Amino acid sequence: MQPDKLYTPLTYLKGVGPRRASLLGRELGIETYQDLLFHFPNRYIDKTRFYKISELERSQSDVQIIGRIVHMKTVAQKRGKRLVATFVDESGEMELVWFRGQRWFQERLKLNEPYVIFGKANWFNGKYSMPHPEMELLSKFRQQKRIKMQPVYPSTEKLGQNGITNRLISQWIQQVLEITSSCFSETMPPEVCNELQLVDKQSALQQIHFPDSQNALARALFRLKFEELLLSKKMHRKSRIKGFVFEEVGENFNSFYKQHLPFELTSAQKRVLKEIRADLGSNAQMNRLLQGDVGSGKTMVAVMTMLLALDNGYQACLVAPTEILAQQHYNSVHALLQPMGIEVGLLTGSVKARDRKPIHEGLRSGHLSILVGTHAILEEQVRFANLGLAIIDEQHRFGVAQRARMWTKNQTPPHILVMTATPIPRTLAMSLYGDLDISVIDELPPGRKPVRTVHRRDSDRLRVFGFLREQIALGRQVYVVYPLIQESEVLDYKDLMDGYESITREFPPPEYQVSIVHGKMKPQDKEIEMQRFAEGKTQIMVATTVIEVGVNVPNASVMVIESAERFGLSQLHQLRGRVGRGAEQSFCILISGSKLSEDAQTRLQTMVHTNDGFEIAETDLKLRGPGNLMGTQQSGLLTLKIADVVKDRDILKAARHYAALLLKQDPMIGREEHRMVRENMQRMDVFKNIWDHIS
Ligand code: ADP
Ligand code: MG
């Protein structure tokens, strides 16, 4: 076995010089033999089928035909010369066309000799024509090993322009497969190979590039996906860690529940609290993700969980991602607990040094039992006497790193509750957060009127303005949001300013006052404008998506989203969440152009027909795939090359099962028969190619 051979730089391969090697490195990250072997096809073309010219159809993709060139000529055109060949078989006639390298082809192509051609035939000027076909003399073609399914590799324009064709790539891979055939030894534990009848690694690689049949391809894919998932570090999370036991439901919790609870809990809140209490009372550390749409009442769950910590003699903290949110949390927690005489501390970046000191001391002595703040809480100097519970409100992001930081605060790790308003589809959540338990608040407090959503075209704008006037006359306020997409910031800014002008024209002072907030403003100016809107001094807020997460103006009841087709689903849903916070019926108006892509149409329709964040997230997942969902990128499972945590659920389940078995038998993965598992787990990180899923 010579595994080192796998790391040979590509320049050593016949036909790959330094220039091509560096291109492959830059464009696709392929530098070694191994990289090339792990550059998988994203589809295959059936090469067992030959077409007759008379059988061609207009919507066909690549076809393979046997025939002869009977005539060739160069044709001069406005946009340059091209070479046109008349190609015939017994059924008909078509054209082959070259726009580049005419001379070269004209000199080499033979008239009246049978060729096998391959490419896409376009219907053009009353006949079929195939630009730049792949072609080979039939006599030569017959001598070759027949490829049944031809691999098609992901590539880039630049590679194509530099003559690195699909055919070359597949030839190189063929070469590398031969050179490295002795380099693979079995990585999977023998009992797993047996039970699952895995094909060996070498043939799996051979078959994924050059499959003998669909069946062989399927087995190769299973083997490679299973291996990748099993070796993923995410599968090998340590099993449960010992945690503090909160046995008591004591004085604080009970008296709050009986005397200070301002409303009846929803049944979803009750269920979630039960789930949390079961965790806290067990011997293990809680690691729970609490999902609930904006306004579903997560804060109350957080407060009551903190009271459980207090009842058992522990401190608790609540960490928010921004100052504004920390302040808001502090206000609500403080208001709820003050009547019970429980002191709450606030610690953010802007708390002055002299005000920090008593907080630090209170935490260290244990006198201060509840702390709310930003990540300032995670700093070195902040020490707790006995932190038993950390609640992290992540709102729209998943800070895995922050979660880990909380651990270092104690010998025994505190219980962790992560709250998020981003609904992650269940199917995905289970894969991504295998190490977290999940609770869901899937019910809004009673009396909320769901936001009514409509889709309007640009041409309906005057009617929309009329509606806004009615709403403003009723005393309500309105948001008008424009998209902001980084690449075209200048253009978007212009859109925003044009929009602002037309709004001020339609809604002139002194009757109307219009605020504007965008990314180019100074923070203090932004703050002032937000404040004016919040106080009701302006009726309309024109903004880009910078309107801060967590902005809460209950009197705002209309959200108008301009160029709505340019927003992603989760963003639309987040924006809509800015209204519907007061007692009034709220509205969301999505304005788009009249030409919509199919995906855009689906997005807007989804918004119109549902307010359910989970349903929206499921649709988003279908449209965009897991890698693009908000916040999920950081999860290690999404950097996989070949397995897809959503499509390959069954393989994932199998891998999870065997990972657990493996850990049970050999917790440190130290045994000799698991050496290859261990080494390959460490090596996983080196695969850095981009994999386009086989569909
Ligand atoms: P989230 O943090 O999940 O977005 P909040 O905890 O801020 O939501 O709750 C939103 C609003 O709903 C708050 O004003 C809160 O007091 C109120 N609320 C929470 N639970 C209930 C309930 N069971 N019944 C009525 N109102 C509730
Ligand atoms: Mg909240």
Tab-separated table of all heavy atoms in Angstrom, residues 612-654:
chain	number	residue	atom	x	y	z
A	612	ASP	N	-47.051	30.132	8.772
A	612	ASP	CA	-46.366	29.146	9.586
A	612	ASP	C	-44.882	29.071	9.215
A	612	ASP	O	-44.509	28.648	8.121
A	612	ASP	CB	-47.049	27.786	9.355
A	612	ASP	CG	-46.389	26.674	10.145
A	612	ASP	OD1	-45.271	26.888	10.657
A	612	ASP	OD2	-46.986	25.594	10.245
A	613	GLY	N	-44.051	29.506	10.139
A	613	GLY	CA	-42.616	29.558	9.894
A	613	GLY	C	-42.016	28.221	9.501
A	613	GLY	O	-41.081	28.161	8.706
A	614	PHE	N	-42.563	27.141	10.048
A	614	PHE	CA	-41.999	25.832	9.725
A	614	PHE	C	-42.332	25.416	8.301
A	614	PHE	O	-41.502	24.871	7.590
A	614	PHE	CB	-42.486	24.773	10.708
A	614	PHE	CG	-41.778	24.889	12.015
A	614	PHE	CD1	-42.316	25.625	13.047
A	614	PHE	CD2	-40.534	24.301	12.188
A	614	PHE	CE1	-41.646	25.774	14.239
A	614	PHE	CE2	-39.854	24.433	13.381
A	614	PHE	CZ	-40.408	25.174	14.410
A	615	GLU	N	-43.553	25.704	7.898
A	615	GLU	CA	-43.926	25.378	6.532
A	615	GLU	C	-43.070	26.185	5.558
A	615	GLU	O	-42.592	25.681	4.546
A	615	GLU	CB	-45.419	25.678	6.318
A	615	GLU	CG	-45.914	25.142	4.997
A	615	GLU	CD	-47.392	25.422	4.760
A	615	GLU	OE1	-48.133	25.595	5.752
A	615	GLU	OE2	-47.780	25.465	3.586
A	616	ILE	N	-42.847	27.450	5.917
A	616	ILE	CA	-42.033	28.305	5.068
A	616	ILE	C	-40.603	27.781	4.987
A	616	ILE	O	-39.992	27.716	3.925
A	616	ILE	CB	-42.086	29.754	5.588
A	616	ILE	CG1	-43.473	30.326	5.269
A	616	ILE	CG2	-40.993	30.603	4.979
A	616	ILE	CD1	-43.763	31.645	5.917
A	617	ALA	N	-40.097	27.342	6.119
A	617	ALA	CA	-38.735	26.808	6.128
A	617	ALA	C	-38.627	25.532	5.297
A	617	ALA	O	-37.632	25.311	4.608
A	617	ALA	CB	-38.291	26.544	7.564
A	618	GLU	N	-39.663	24.683	5.347
A	618	GLU	CA	-39.637	23.458	4.537
A	618	GLU	C	-39.604	23.793	3.048
A	618	GLU	O	-38.874	23.195	2.277
A	618	GLU	CB	-40.861	22.562	4.819
A	618	GLU	CG	-40.883	21.878	6.173
A	618	GLU	CD	-39.928	20.677	6.293
A	618	GLU	OE1	-39.274	20.314	5.299
A	618	GLU	OE2	-39.838	20.131	7.406
A	619	THR	N	-40.414	24.782	2.660
A	619	THR	CA	-40.430	25.186	1.255
A	619	THR	C	-39.068	25.762	0.857
A	619	THR	O	-38.532	25.459	-0.206
A	619	THR	CB	-41.524	26.246	1.009
A	619	THR	OG1	-42.752	25.739	1.518
A	619	THR	CG2	-41.677	26.537	-0.464
A	620	ASP	N	-38.520	26.572	1.730
A	620	ASP	CA	-37.216	27.163	1.480
A	620	ASP	C	-36.172	26.068	1.271
A	620	ASP	O	-35.342	26.133	0.370
A	620	ASP	CB	-36.823	28.028	2.691
A	620	ASP	CG	-35.901	29.160	2.283
A	620	ASP	OD1	-35.810	29.454	1.080
A	620	ASP	OD2	-35.263	29.739	3.180
A	621	LEU	N	-36.271	25.056	2.089
A	621	LEU	CA	-35.339	23.934	2.001
A	621	LEU	C	-35.462	23.244	0.650
A	621	LEU	O	-34.470	22.897	0.014
A	621	LEU	CB	-35.636	22.952	3.135
A	621	LEU	CG	-34.789	21.688	3.219
A	621	LEU	CD1	-33.342	22.031	3.477
A	621	LEU	CD2	-35.309	20.781	4.323
A	622	LYS	N	-36.696	23.076	0.197
A	622	LYS	CA	-36.899	22.426	-1.100
A	622	LYS	C	-36.354	23.288	-2.228
A	622	LYS	O	-35.754	22.794	-3.174
A	622	LYS	CB	-38.396	22.181	-1.342
A	622	LYS	CG	-38.865	20.899	-0.691
A	622	LYS	CD	-40.280	20.539	-1.138
A	622	LYS	CE	-40.956	19.715	-0.063
A	622	LYS	NZ	-42.171	20.337	0.461
A	623	LEU	N	-36.577	24.599	-2.130
A	623	LEU	CA	-36.152	25.484	-3.208
A	623	LEU	C	-34.643	25.644	-3.251
A	623	LEU	O	-34.044	25.711	-4.310
A	623	LEU	CB	-36.792	26.876	-3.051
A	623	LEU	CG	-38.294	26.982	-3.289
A	623	LEU	CD1	-38.760	28.408	-3.049
A	623	LEU	CD2	-38.636	26.568	-4.714
A	624	ARG	N	-34.029	25.738	-2.092
A	624	ARG	CA	-32.627	26.139	-2.099
A	624	ARG	C	-31.637	25.101	-1.596
A	624	ARG	O	-30.436	25.288	-1.711
A	624	ARG	CB	-32.459	27.400	-1.252
A	624	ARG	CG	-33.311	28.544	-1.778
A	624	ARG	CD	-32.820	29.837	-1.305
A	624	ARG	NE	-32.875	29.995	0.141
A	624	ARG	CZ	-32.165	30.870	0.799
A	624	ARG	NH1	-31.302	31.618	0.178
A	624	ARG	NH2	-32.282	30.981	2.100
A	625	GLY	N	-32.137	24.042	-1.014
A	625	GLY	CA	-31.213	23.062	-0.469
A	625	GLY	C	-30.694	23.513	0.877
A	625	GLY	O	-30.775	24.692	1.206
A	626	PRO	N	-30.169	22.600	1.664
A	626	PRO	CA	-29.840	22.903	3.047
A	626	PRO	C	-28.713	23.917	3.216
A	626	PRO	O	-28.705	24.679	4.160
A	626	PRO	CB	-29.429	21.551	3.624
A	626	PRO	CG	-29.125	20.693	2.450
A	626	PRO	CD	-29.932	21.207	1.315
A	627	GLY	N	-27.777	23.939	2.263
A	627	GLY	CA	-26.609	24.799	2.454
A	627	GLY	C	-26.938	26.271	2.481
A	627	GLY	O	-26.193	27.077	3.008
A	628	ASN	N	-28.082	26.633	1.910
A	628	ASN	CA	-28.390	28.049	1.808
A	628	ASN	C	-29.345	28.549	2.875
A	628	ASN	O	-29.635	29.725	2.933
A	628	ASN	CB	-29.013	28.331	0.446
A	628	ASN	CG	-27.994	28.143	-0.642
A	628	ASN	OD1	-26.866	28.607	-0.514
A	628	ASN	ND2	-28.367	27.432	-1.686
A	629	LEU	N	-29.849	27.657	3.690
A	629	LEU	CA	-30.770	28.116	4.718
A	629	LEU	C	-30.034	28.993	5.704
A	629	LEU	O	-28.887	28.755	6.032
A	629	LEU	CB	-31.389	26.936	5.458
A	629	LEU	CG	-32.435	26.157	4.698
A	629	LEU	CD1	-33.235	25.305	5.649
A	629	LEU	CD2	-33.369	27.090	3.949
A	630	MET	N	-30.745	30.001	6.160
A	630	MET	CA	-30.138	30.952	7.069
A	630	MET	C	-29.463	30.260	8.247
A	630	MET	O	-30.058	29.447	8.925
A	630	MET	CB	-31.255	31.852	7.593
A	630	MET	CG	-30.779	33.214	7.989
A	630	MET	SD	-32.166	34.112	8.679
A	630	MET	CE	-32.518	35.197	7.312
A	631	GLY	N	-28.209	30.589	8.434
A	631	GLY	CA	-27.560	30.136	9.656
A	631	GLY	C	-27.062	28.706	9.676
A	631	GLY	O	-26.403	28.310	10.618
A	632	THR	N	-27.357	27.935	8.654
A	632	THR	CA	-26.981	26.529	8.762
A	632	THR	C	-25.562	26.236	8.282
A	632	THR	O	-25.049	25.162	8.515
A	632	THR	CB	-27.934	25.633	7.954
A	632	THR	OG1	-27.978	26.117	6.630
A	632	THR	CG2	-29.313	25.616	8.545
A	633	GLN	N	-24.946	27.213	7.623
A	633	GLN	CA	-23.641	26.935	7.030
A	633	GLN	C	-22.598	26.490	8.045
A	633	GLN	O	-21.728	25.699	7.727
A	633	GLN	CB	-23.083	28.152	6.284
A	633	GLN	CG	-23.672	28.341	4.920
A	633	GLN	CD	-24.895	29.200	4.993
A	633	GLN	OE1	-25.452	29.379	6.078
A	633	GLN	NE2	-25.326	29.733	3.884
A	634	GLN	N	-22.683	27.048	9.252
A	634	GLN	CA	-21.636	26.743	10.217
A	634	GLN	C	-21.639	25.290	10.633
A	634	GLN	O	-20.675	24.789	11.160
A	634	GLN	CB	-21.821	27.577	11.486
A	634	GLN	CG	-21.497	29.018	11.302
A	634	GLN	CD	-22.602	29.860	11.915
A	634	GLN	OE1	-23.787	29.646	11.647
A	634	GLN	NE2	-22.236	30.794	12.740
A	635	SER	N	-22.745	24.626	10.403
A	635	SER	CA	-22.819	23.252	10.843
A	635	SER	C	-21.911	22.366	10.006
A	635	SER	O	-21.961	22.388	8.794
A	635	SER	CB	-24.246	22.746	10.724
A	635	SER	OG	-24.218	21.366	10.549
A	636	GLY	N	-21.089	21.585	10.667
A	636	GLY	CA	-20.121	20.758	9.981
A	636	GLY	C	-20.734	19.825	8.946
A	636	GLY	O	-20.134	19.546	7.925
A	637	LEU	N	-21.944	19.381	9.189
A	637	LEU	CA	-22.539	18.399	8.285
A	637	LEU	C	-22.832	18.946	6.900
A	637	LEU	O	-23.047	18.204	5.977
A	637	LEU	CB	-23.829	17.840	8.882
A	637	LEU	CG	-23.658	16.666	9.822
A	637	LEU	CD1	-24.998	16.171	10.301
A	637	LEU	CD2	-22.906	15.540	9.138
A	638	LEU	N	-22.850	20.267	6.791
A	638	LEU	CA	-23.175	20.799	5.482
A	638	LEU	C	-21.951	20.995	4.605
A	638	LEU	O	-22.049	21.388	3.469
A	638	LEU	CB	-23.940	22.104	5.618
A	638	LEU	CG	-25.363	21.876	6.089
A	638	LEU	CD1	-26.061	23.191	6.297
A	638	LEU	CD2	-26.130	21.036	5.102
A	639	THR	N	-20.766	20.748	5.141
A	639	THR	CA	-19.592	20.867	4.303
A	639	THR	C	-19.246	19.519	3.692
A	639	THR	O	-18.224	19.351	3.083
A	639	THR	CB	-18.393	21.389	5.102
A	639	THR	OG1	-18.211	20.511	6.214
A	639	THR	CG2	-18.639	22.785	5.608
A	640	LEU	N	-20.127	18.556	3.854
A	640	LEU	CA	-19.899	17.253	3.250
A	640	LEU	C	-19.823	17.389	1.739
A	640	LEU	O	-20.480	18.227	1.155
A	640	LEU	CB	-21.043	16.302	3.615
A	640	LEU	CG	-21.171	15.979	5.094
A	640	LEU	CD1	-22.384	15.117	5.334
A	640	LEU	CD2	-19.912	15.306	5.604
A	641	LYS	N	-19.016	16.520	1.108
A	641	LYS	CA	-18.846	16.606	-0.333
A	641	LYS	C	-19.904	15.841	-1.103
A	641	LYS	O	-20.324	16.238	-2.162
A	641	LYS	CB	-17.488	16.010	-0.727
A	641	LYS	CG	-16.337	16.950	-0.562
A	641	LYS	CD	-15.050	16.206	-0.804
A	641	LYS	CE	-15.080	15.374	-2.063
A	641	LYS	NZ	-15.226	16.150	-3.286
A	642	ILE	N	-20.275	14.700	-0.571
A	642	ILE	CA	-21.084	13.833	-1.408
A	642	ILE	C	-22.447	13.510	-0.805
A	642	ILE	O	-23.445	13.483	-1.491
A	642	ILE	CB	-20.280	12.572	-1.796
A	642	ILE	CG1	-21.142	11.557	-2.524
A	642	ILE	CG2	-19.633	11.913	-0.601
A	642	ILE	CD1	-20.346	10.538	-3.256
A	643	ALA	N	-22.477	13.328	0.503
A	643	ALA	CA	-23.759	13.032	1.125
A	643	ALA	C	-24.566	14.314	1.289
A	643	ALA	O	-24.010	15.392	1.421
A	643	ALA	CB	-23.541	12.381	2.474
A	644	ASP	N	-25.869	14.183	1.260
A	644	ASP	CA	-26.761	15.314	1.430
A	644	ASP	C	-27.651	14.987	2.619
A	644	ASP	O	-28.407	14.023	2.584
A	644	ASP	CB	-27.584	15.473	0.150
A	644	ASP	CG	-28.635	16.563	0.256
A	644	ASP	OD1	-29.264	16.687	1.337
A	644	ASP	OD2	-28.839	17.282	-0.720
A	645	VAL	N	-27.533	15.778	3.676
A	645	VAL	CA	-28.188	15.399	4.923
A	645	VAL	C	-29.705	15.326	4.806
A	645	VAL	O	-30.352	14.721	5.638
A	645	VAL	CB	-27.821	16.338	6.098
A	645	VAL	CG1	-26.367	16.155	6.466
A	645	VAL	CG2	-28.128	17.777	5.772
A	646	VAL	N	-30.259	15.952	3.780
A	646	VAL	CA	-31.704	15.861	3.624
A	646	VAL	C	-32.093	14.707	2.704
A	646	VAL	O	-32.898	13.859	3.053
A	646	VAL	CB	-32.286	17.185	3.108
A	646	VAL	CG1	-33.754	17.037	2.822
A	646	VAL	CG2	-32.065	18.279	4.141
A	647	LYS	N	-31.470	14.675	1.526
A	647	LYS	CA	-31.844	13.629	0.572
A	647	LYS	C	-31.390	12.249	1.040
A	647	LYS	O	-32.003	11.243	0.703
A	647	LYS	CB	-31.231	13.915	-0.792
A	647	LYS	CG	-31.880	15.083	-1.497
A	647	LYS	CD	-31.326	15.203	-2.911
A	647	LYS	CE	-31.667	16.548	-3.513
A	647	LYS	NZ	-30.611	17.009	-4.404
A	648	ASP	N	-30.302	12.213	1.751
A	648	ASP	CA	-29.762	10.909	2.154
A	648	ASP	C	-30.101	10.565	3.601
A	648	ASP	O	-29.264	10.065	4.345
A	648	ASP	CB	-28.239	10.887	1.952
A	648	ASP	CG	-27.852	11.080	0.503
A	648	ASP	OD1	-28.546	10.513	-0.356
A	648	ASP	OD2	-26.879	11.790	0.241
A	649	ARG	N	-31.321	10.851	3.981
A	649	ARG	CA	-31.727	10.615	5.360
A	649	ARG	C	-31.511	9.168	5.795
A	649	ARG	O	-31.113	8.903	6.913
A	649	ARG	CB	-33.218	10.940	5.563
A	649	ARG	CG	-33.599	12.327	5.228
A	649	ARG	CD	-33.774	13.224	6.420
A	649	ARG	NE	-34.375	12.567	7.551
A	649	ARG	CZ	-33.915	12.685	8.781
A	649	ARG	NH1	-32.851	13.375	9.011
A	649	ARG	NH2	-34.535	12.103	9.771
A	650	ASP	N	-31.797	8.225	4.907
A	650	ASP	CA	-31.690	6.829	5.302
A	650	ASP	C	-30.237	6.430	5.530
A	650	ASP	O	-29.923	5.709	6.475
A	650	ASP	CB	-32.318	5.920	4.239
A	650	ASP	CG	-33.820	6.123	4.188
A	650	ASP	OD1	-34.378	6.643	5.190
A	650	ASP	OD2	-34.433	5.788	3.167
A	651	ILE	N	-29.374	6.915	4.668
A	651	ILE	CA	-27.957	6.611	4.848
A	651	ILE	C	-27.466	7.268	6.135
A	651	ILE	O	-26.694	6.694	6.901
A	651	ILE	CB	-27.128	7.102	3.644
A	651	ILE	CG1	-27.726	6.562	2.343
A	651	ILE	CG2	-25.669	6.671	3.790
A	651	ILE	CD1	-26.989	7.001	1.094
A	652	LEU	N	-27.956	8.481	6.366
A	652	LEU	CA	-27.580	9.191	7.587
A	652	LEU	C	-27.988	8.402	8.824
A	652	LEU	O	-27.227	8.272	9.791
A	652	LEU	CB	-28.256	10.560	7.601
A	652	LEU	CG	-27.956	11.469	8.798
A	652	LEU	CD1	-26.535	11.997	8.739
A	652	LEU	CD2	-28.924	12.635	8.862
A	653	LYS	N	-29.174	7.845	8.777
A	653	LYS	CA	-29.663	7.059	9.904
A	653	LYS	C	-28.765	5.854	10.142
A	653	LYS	O	-28.383	5.561	11.274
A	653	LYS	CB	-31.088	6.567	9.625
A	653	LYS	CG	-32.132	7.280	10.427
A	653	LYS	CD	-33.450	6.506	10.350
A	653	LYS	CE	-34.616	7.472	10.419
A	653	LYS	NZ	-35.767	6.970	9.661
A	654	ALA	N	-28.432	5.168	9.045
A	654	ALA	CA	-27.562	3.999	9.163
A	654	ALA	C	-26.210	4.415	9.745
A	654	ALA	O	-25.684	3.773	10.661
A	654	ALA	CB	-27.378	3.344	7.799
